[in-house]
Amino acid sequence: MPEQRATSPYDALLLLSFGGPEGPDDVVPFLENVTRGRGIPKERLKEVGRHYFLFGGVSPINEQNRALLQALREDFAEHGLDLPVYWGNRNWAPYLTDTLREMTRDGRRRIAVLATSAYASYSGCRQYRENLADALATLVEEGLEPPRVDKLRHYFNHPGFVRPMVDSVLTSLADLPEDVRAGARLAFTTHSVPVAAADTSGPVEDHGDGGAYVAQHLDVARLIADAVREETGVEHPWQLVYQSRSGAPHIPWLEPDICDHLEAVHGAGAPAVVMVPIGFVSDHMEVLYDLDTEATAKAAELGLPVRRSATVGADERFVGAVRDLLLERAATERGRATERCALGALGPSHDVCPVGCCPARTPRPAAAGADSPYA
């Protein structure tokens, strides 16, 4: 195999995601998985699950992951990569442990892992690494020799992730009425997290004042806004805002919330807003409910024209970015110098999460990092 297509030492890719219910009967058990250990009563989970029940109890995330899985397999075959692609979830079938067990029994010994989260944070990176460590520990308890797993680096600023979002913003702007288009504001949205978690996101040297989580989102927002200006000749004011808060009211979380932001910009005279969900890889439930349902209803109440741009999903450029990240990491593991694609001011992220990166409140083993118990 030509050097540029060599996937060695990897013998498989694992698509690792969050998971979601696929019917009304799945909703509460799914939420029990998500909130395990927090002691939340089942009646409260039913209340939380109302978002899912509005959509027939089905989250779109699993179907979107199936589409990405198929696109990756087809792309690999088209580009001569003889590498199987598996899929496992944190909170719903196919469960991560079951998939890693299958991979182990299939003889896979060195696995590259793509998480469907592009940024540094506890919930978007380290928690997935903890899930991997838990699954590997289960395999050891079952008498299986665990494979080595390596998580691919953060891809928030890879051109294959950024450019599809630029095009989606351009499409959304073009869909606005002409008389409000030029004055439209861009609201870049991502999942709110506790301020304390944001401040300790990324390597230790990046901690403080939002940490790597906020810095990375701001860099992507700036990249997209600059690209839109270059394409249209119009400078659209923009702001990073947050959605999907789920924590206790007394704990500070990142703000402003998207609905509060819509009220503020409407009050300041903004003629329209394009909501840009840069924090999400696919149009899953938090996009469909928090933006397409709740925020859109708030905009209608205000009489404010809004559009919501698409996430990257299985866009062929994002699929190509995954291939690029895989080949880049494989070459690095073989000791080969390789170009690492990244836009913006922050440069390419680290391959191996260092000690102290996105720490948990209660320390737990995490695989695929400098502190991994699995070599």
Side-chain angles (χ1 to χ4, degrees), residues 46-218:
K46 290 180 180 178
E47 179 184 342
V48 172
R50 72 186 189 281
H51 301 174
Y52 292 96
F53 292 123
L54 288 174
F55 295 87
V58 178
S59 168
I61 192 170
N62 281 346
E63 193 58 39
Q64 290 162 1
N65 280 325
R66 291 185 186 99
L68 179 57
L69 185 72
Q70 182 63 26
L72 287 168
R73 288 169 173 167
E74 291 174 357
D75 178 90
F76 284 10
E78 179 182 346
H79 289 87
L81 274 62
D82 184 18
L83 196 77
V85 187
Y86 296 75
W87 168 38
N89 288 326
R90 172 188 292 172
N91 296 303
W92 202 250
Y95 288 104
L96 171 60
T97 300
D98 295 336
T99 300
L100 277 179
R101 184 184 298 110
E102 176 189 0
M103 297 176 82
T104 300
R105 289 173 173 166
D106 286 349
R108 312 303 174 193
R109 302 305 309 148
R110 187 79 182 269
I111 298 168
V113 179
L114 175 80
T116 56
S117 176
Y119 302 85
S121 69
Y122 171 74
S123 58
C125 184
R126 185 176 177 90
Q127 191 171 10
Y128 280 117
R129 293 177 47 224
E130 292 175 352
N131 299 147
L132 286 166
D134 290 343
L136 293 172
T138 298
L139 298 187
V140 171
E141 292 171 0
E142 294 173 354
L144 297 172
E145 182 181 355
R148 173 169 169 174
V149 295
D150 292 337
K151 182 178 176 291
L152 299 179
R153 68 176 172 92
H154 302 302
Y155 46 84
F156 63 92
N157 56 3
H158 193 288
F161 185 67
V162 174
R163 188 63 217 188
M165 293 190 289
V166 172
D167 290 347
S168 294
V169 173
L170 293 171
T171 298
S172 294
L173 284 168
D175 191 50
L176 283 169
E178 188 173 357
D179 61 333
V180 299
R181 188 179 304 151
R185 297 187 181 227
L186 307 180
F188 294 100
T189 76
T190 190
H191 205 301
S192 185
V193 298
V195 170
D199 289 348
T200 57
S201 58
V204 172
E205 59 269 22
D206 292 339
H207 290 182
D209 196 21
Y213 186 72
V214 171
Q216 290 170 359
H217 281 87
L218 286 172

Side-chain angles (χ1 to χ4, degrees), residues 355-371:
V355 175
C357 194
C358 304
R361 286 179 296 176
T362 302
R364 293 179 54 202
D371 55 355

Side-chain angles (χ1 to χ4, degrees), residues 26-42:
D26 296 343
V27 172
V28 171
F30 163 73
L31 292 173
E32 287 175 334
N33 288 340
V34 173
T35 61
R36 180 168 287 116
R38 302 182 198 174
I40 299 176
K42 183 169 289 189

Side-chain angles (χ1 to χ4, degrees), residues 255-270:
E255 297 177 337
D257 176 78
I258 178 61
C259 289
D260 294 338
H261 176 70
L262 293 176
E263 287 189 346
V265 297
H266 176 259

